[in-house]
Amino acid sequence: MNIDEYERSHFARYQRFAETVRLILERAISATGDLPRPVSIQSRAKTAMSLRKRLEEAGIIDADVSAVRRDLAGVRLIFYTNNDVNRFLNSSIVFDNFDVDRAATKIHHPLPENDETRYRAVHYTVSLNEARSVLPEYQEFAGLRCEIQIQTILIHAWAETSHDIIYKVDDRQEFGTEALTQIKKRFDRIMDQYLVPAGYEFQRVQQDYERLVAGKELFDQKLLESLRNASNNNDRHQFVTSLGDDLLPLYDDVPSIFPEVLDVLVEAAITARVTPVQPIETPFSSYKGYEASDVTEKAVEIIDRFRYTAIEECFQALQKIFADESNERIRTKISETVGRLAQYNLQIWHQVGSEVQRRLASVMKMQAVVPSTVRPLFIETWNQMLDAEATGNEWTADAVSIQFGEVPIDQVHELRQTAISALFEFFEQAGSDQERRKIFHALENAKRPANRGDSNPDFQRQCLIDHKRIIDFLAARAPSLSYELRETIEHSLLYDYHHAIPLLGTTGAALGCQHQATELTLAIRTIRDAFNEDPTYFRYKILVGYEGVMAWQWDEPEFDPERVESYRDEQSTAMLGEVTDETQEDWLRFLERCAATKSNDLATFPKLGQFIVNLAKRNPSIAEFMLDNANDDLLRFLPGFLNGLFQGADHELYRRVLTTFLAKPGHLSAIALHWRGSSPDDPDTLAQLLHRSLEEDDRQAIAECAVFVIREFPDKVPPLDVVFRPALRHFINNADPSWIRNAWLPTKTPFFDQLDAVDADLILESLLELTELSYDAERLVSYVAVGYLERVWEFLGRRFAHPREESGDHRFEAVPYRFQLLTRRLSSNAELALNKTRSWFDADSSLFAFRGGKVLAQIFPACAADISDALIARVTAGDEDDARFVLGVMQNFHGEPSTHAVLKALLVSFPESDFVRSGVARSIQNTGVVHGEFGFVDSLREKKTLIEPWLNDDSVVADFARQQISSIEREILSEQRRAEERNALRRLEFGEDLS
């Protein structure tokens, strides 16, 4: 059909076709009920005059116009706002009612890919779908194409005006060219400076209004009452979320209703704790429902966001939620929220000064009795009031500025004194060292002036005065303070002392605080001396902890940790001489006191442990006396006693003690730790230890026995059937992989050089239940892989087939995100790797790309020649299942050049397969982490550059490359459009000007 035939015979048919498409769209939009109505839906057939001009410009006047032009029929949908356009595009109306030529879809946006043309719209090329084409009323339109244009009314106005002025002008014959160029530039400026910003402004206004409407609906539906009556945590979570996101931000008078809101939130959080988790049912699957912690977290977030709306009520509400909260993460979140309520916020300070803190102090003082369950919140609140700085931040669309400044001491002096007094009272009431230590650290805040910028001398003076007051308080209670707390206090005071010394001279005189510094240093020396009057305390800090201060450190401002450690070792050795038959009872009580120290820090007990080893080695009989009379705290150090006795000369006594404790319940783990520390050459006793451990189901001891065999084999251990295999079978039978936590094996031992297949299977079987392959577990498996690589592959396959993996349990990870140690072993045999993973594919291909394909991409990250060649061989000699297998692997790469040979082989071997073409496309377009607002755009441009050389390949590859480049260009335009929209709306949210 040439231009003349079109004008003479087909124009009217295309006009009818365009009108038909318009009517289909109009009716479809009306039928949905929830899509925005267009301002206008226009239709037209391209006039012969316009078409002839375009063909002449392109030099194809004799071409088949139906082949070269997609827009002979056209329909334009004009919407008010960008939101309306987005909602229509996100619907499926076009795709439900027409066959869409996706390759012909055009996204107009000003980018290099679009020659920077300012016109913005989305154009679909469609034809009637098969269901309509067979109907008599539509048969005349079979095979015709129509272009559907979607744009806003602002863009429509610009397009129509610019089209009439610029594109419909006559040949000017060298007249007015420069003037027309300037007009074009003005049109571009109109779009960039006025219409595009106005479009985003309308979009933002519409979004704000729709949010207002949604909030009003919630208000009318009495959301608070619905939340109060909710019967499950899924509904509670939804209602609390809506309350915080949609209702409160738009409510005109939040302070008037917020006390009631707080009551409902507290009730929801408390009720949620006794409500069972209810699954969320969907048409596709059942998901775990919301837990009480999810509801409480949302409730606390609302209180945090509106904390200044009702200061006293917020504090009381947080107390009620905190009191019986058992989830430590939620308790921390509540404590942090209280801290933000009480802290000096710079923006609030500029408005009301310290009013927030004064009101909190007032409500706390009125609470005569503070239950221990909420005392941490009071401590945190007083702690914040002792801070010297007010902080704040200001946000813009693309930056945040952090601000700070010292609060005026005259405005917070009374608050500080009240806070210190309240913390003193809590210190007296505290029931544990842990609580006293927290209070001490809160009190320490009073000694710190602002640490950023210049501090006011008046504030520095007050800090010194307050610091002395705190030290005097602690000094009066020095005899009653535990050794653990003394260590913490003395360690802190050492640094304070050295910081105060320079203030005794001209620096202090210049600041006007020389007298206060003198008083402070005297107070520090007084409490130091009070602590160290007790000789037992000196012994304690030699043997326990890492904060103990040695006498000479008070005279040397530079901290020398090596000298401290050396000194402690010297003193520890000297103290051994004080332990005699006459003093053994006193030393027993002292060591029991040391052992009673509660700590989960591994740095607490090394010195004490070594002292016990040396004591047992030097005085075996005294060690035996202590073990006969020791309490449970000291018996935790049984491994040290046994290690020392083992190293000593009295082997008969060692054997007697070992036999005694081996027969007693509750000490098998300690004996096993002794085996680890001393490596006795006693296979029979080791076998007896395992036998007793199996009887008591002491898995710590069983694990130590198994790991000892791995470390020491073939020496010092009985046959593998006696200890190692029974130990691992016990863990396997109990589905317990915890023994691996004891298996720290930085180097491969001879055990693995002589590893039997039976033991390899036991090791791998015992690790099947691990929730994740930890570093230590992976290292152990890598040792097994040296001789039993195929079994390791089977082990990984079994983990992927584990019921917890199949059920989607997120706590179970079949393989790590990235192997640390197994890569070299697994990649050593590419053919075996492919065969094993192919067996996984054959068993379950649905998730292969996320399992076996992921593993292969991990161990062959560069898709090197050996794996690439092996994959190509499978593609060229295989069927479509082989292609699916290979694609499952390739989709874990990011389209790197090293993968291109495999991807091209897939296209050449399966030229008619849509699945292969789409799989190759996904492999190319995969991205890793992108950065920046336009990171995806930049990544897509890189992808386009990568496959442009494919245009020079054979026809199948070149044809795919052309289509893929066209698709990538559409993605670039689409992503640029979305990114610019996100950026503009964010700037509007922060009140920035878009022009």
Side-chain angles (χ1 to χ4, degrees), residues 408-562:
I409 186 61
D410 60 319
Q411 296 187 40
V412 297
H413 178 270
E414 182 182 348
L415 275 173
R416 286 170 62 88
Q417 303 314 305
T418 302
I420 292 171
S421 297
L423 290 171
F424 284 171
E425 187 175 342
F426 285 149
F427 193 93
E428 299 277 29
Q429 298 169 0
S432 68
D433 264 4
Q434 181 181 14
E435 188 175 5
R436 279 185 281 270
R437 187 172 281 107
K438 286 183 179 179
I439 296 167
F440 170 70
H441 289 314
L443 285 166
E444 282 196 299
N445 215 12
K447 73 185 184 185
R448 303 185 185 104
N451 58 4
R452 290 175 287 195
D454 295 328
S455 178
N456 185 291
D458 292 339
F459 209 121
Q460 287 195 338
R461 276 194 300 275
Q462 189 59 51
C463 285
L464 294 171
I465 293 168
D466 292 340
H467 194 183
K468 179 183 180 298
R469 179 187 173 193
I470 293 166
I471 293 173
D472 290 343
F473 170 82
L474 294 171
R477 290 150 185 82
S480 64
L481 297 179
S482 69
Y483 292 161
E484 293 90 333
L485 197 55
R486 290 190 203 185
E487 273 198 331
T488 298
I489 295 172
E490 188 177 17
H491 184 263
S492 176
L493 293 179
L494 174 66
Y495 290 94
D496 297 336
Y497 181 78
H498 288 302
H499 288 153
I501 290 297
L503 299 178
L504 300 179
T506 55
T507 302
L511 294 171
C513 61
Q514 190 178 42
H515 172 71
Q516 289 80 10
T518 301
E519 293 288 312
L520 175 63
T521 54
L522 177 60
I524 291 175
R525 288 196 298 269
T526 299
I527 193 173
R528 173 200 66 186
D529 295 342
F531 283 167
N532 288 279
E533 284 177 356
D534 182 355
T536 307
Y537 171 60
F538 171 77
R539 290 176 181 168
Y540 178 88
K541 63 184 180 179
I542 292 295
L543 296 182
V544 180
Y546 48 87
E547 293 182 319
V549 178
M550 306 303 119
W552 47 268
Q553 289 184 268
W554 294 97
D555 300 320
E556 298 185 10
E558 295 299 323
F559 179 60
D560 185 350
E562 292 182 2

Side-chain angles (χ1 to χ4, degrees), residues 288-433:
K288 183 181 179 183
Y290 289 104
E291 299 178 350
S293 61
D294 299 313
V295 176
T296 304
E297 186 169 18
K298 278 291 179 185
V300 173
E301 286 176 3
I302 291 176
I303 297 173
D304 190 15
R305 197 183 321 164
F306 295 92
R307 60 186 178 272
Y308 298 123
T309 304
I311 296 166
E312 296 89 341
E313 291 87 346
C314 282
F315 183 70
Q316 290 164 348
L318 290 168
Q319 284 186 65
K320 294 173 184 176
I321 298 174
F322 186 86
D324 296 314
E325 180 58 60
S326 58
N327 186 308
E328 196 57 41
R329 182 179 63 83
I330 299 299
R331 287 175 64 84
T332 300
K333 189 175 185 69
I334 295 172
S335 182
E336 290 171 349
T337 300
V338 166
R340 282 189 290 273
L341 176 62
Q343 73 182 12
Y344 297 114
N345 179 284
L346 205 54
Q347 283 77 24
I348 300 299
W349 183 276
H350 289 323
Q351 297 177 55
V352 297
S354 61
E355 179 64 20
V356 172
Q357 291 72 29
R358 293 184 185 281
R359 288 170 63 176
L360 284 172
S362 176
V363 75
M364 287 192 293
K365 284 190 291 184
M366 286 191 299
Q367 197 160 330
V369 178
V370 180
S372 60
T373 53
V374 298
R375 201 176 292 156
L377 300 186
F378 281 69
I379 294 170
E380 175 60 21
T381 305
W382 293 123
N383 171 50
Q384 292 294 333
M385 292 185 192
L386 291 174
D387 206 332
E389 281 187 345
T391 59
N393 52 62
E394 288 187 0
W395 292 81
T396 63
D398 53 8
V400 57
S401 61
I402 300 173
Q403 305 161 330
F404 51 85
E406 188 174 76
V407 295
I409 186 61
D410 60 319
Q411 296 187 40
V412 297
H413 178 270
E414 182 182 348
L415 275 173
R416 286 170 62 88
Q417 303 314 305
T418 302
I420 292 171
S421 297
L423 290 171
F424 284 171
E425 187 175 342
F426 285 149
F427 193 93
E428 299 277 29
Q429 298 169 0
S432 68
D433 264 4

Side-chain angles (χ1 to χ4, degrees), residues 52 186 333 384 498 585 634 769 774 854 903 986:
R52 189 182 300 277
R186 289 167 65 186
K333 189 175 185 69
Q384 292 294 333
H498 288 302
E585 289 190 11
L634 187 56
E769 298 297 327
S774 62
K854 174 186 170 185
L903 299 177
R986 187 174 66 252

Side-chain angles (χ1 to χ4, degrees), residues 134-148:
V134 298
L135 298 175
E137 63 267 34
Y138 296 124
Q139 286 181 356
E140 68 167 316
F141 306 131
L144 300 190
R145 297 188 297 178
C146 177
E147 184 175 78
I148 299 175

Side-chain angles (χ1 to χ4, degrees), residues 76-94:
R76 179 176 295 163
L77 288 91
I78 304 166
F79 291 94
Y80 281 115
T81 69
N82 295 333
N83 289 326
D84 294 345
V85 168
N86 291 339
R87 285 170 184 159
F88 180 81
L89 293 176
N90 290 333
S91 75
S92 58
I93 279 186
V94 173

